Amino acid sequence: MIYFTQFIYLKEGQEDVFHAFEDVAIPIIRKHKGELLLRLRPTQDTVIDATIEKPYEIHLVSFFSEADFESFKLDKTRKQLLHLKEQSIRELCLIQGHKL
């Protein structure tokens, strides 16, 4: 099992476009032996301390294997909507890890 934590920073005013992408992309995760474990939208009130910019959303996702993650990234439906991701996301940080 592998895990990915993603910090997502949006372009100003692109929230609806991002949500349109996520509405399709998130259900596709399961088709590729993955699971969205946690999806957070932090606020100033929930951040205790930070040395980075507060992201719009934080996702924790697991996949059975790296091959399953690669399969998800190449999913035909998801690829058809990547323009929405590119239009809405200014920056993202993807951290890969393993359960200890």
Side-chain angles (χ1 to χ4, degrees):
M1 190 75 63
I2 59 171
Y3 297 87
F4 295 93
T5 303
Q6 191 173 48
F7 295 85
I8 303 164
Y9 301 90
L10 296 188
K11 296 175 184 174
E12 192 171 325
Q14 295 298 307
E15 294 84 2
D16 289 343
V17 176
F18 174 71
H19 296 163
F21 174 74
E22 292 291 275
D23 288 348
V24 175
I26 288 174
I28 292 172
I29 293 170
R30 286 194 180 273
K31 287 177 46 182
H32 299 277
K33 299 180 189 170
E35 182 177 10
L36 176 64
L37 301 171
L38 183 66
R39 181 180 181 193
L40 297 174
R41 197 167 295 149
T43 66
Q44 287 304 120
D45 295 342
T46 61
V47 175
I48 297 167
D49 193 14
T51 59
I52 64 170
E53 175 187 357
K54 177 181 64 65
Y56 178 74
E57 281 192 2
I58 301 170
H59 296 178
L60 176 60
V61 181
S62 67
F63 285 90
F64 185 75
S65 70
E66 186 131 8
D68 294 320
F69 175 61
E70 292 301 321
S71 176
F72 164 72
K73 290 192 323 188
L74 297 173
D75 183 273
K76 183 178 179 180
T77 302
R78 181 182 173 276
K79 285 179 74 172
Q80 290 174 344
L81 296 174
L82 282 179
H83 67 281
L84 297 175
K85 180 180 178 182
E86 293 166 3
Q87 178 181 333
S88 61
I89 295 178
R90 170 176 49 90
E91 181 180 347
L92 63 86
C93 177
L94 182 67
I95 303 165
Q96 181 177 341
H98 301 272
K99 191 172 187 176
L100 300 177

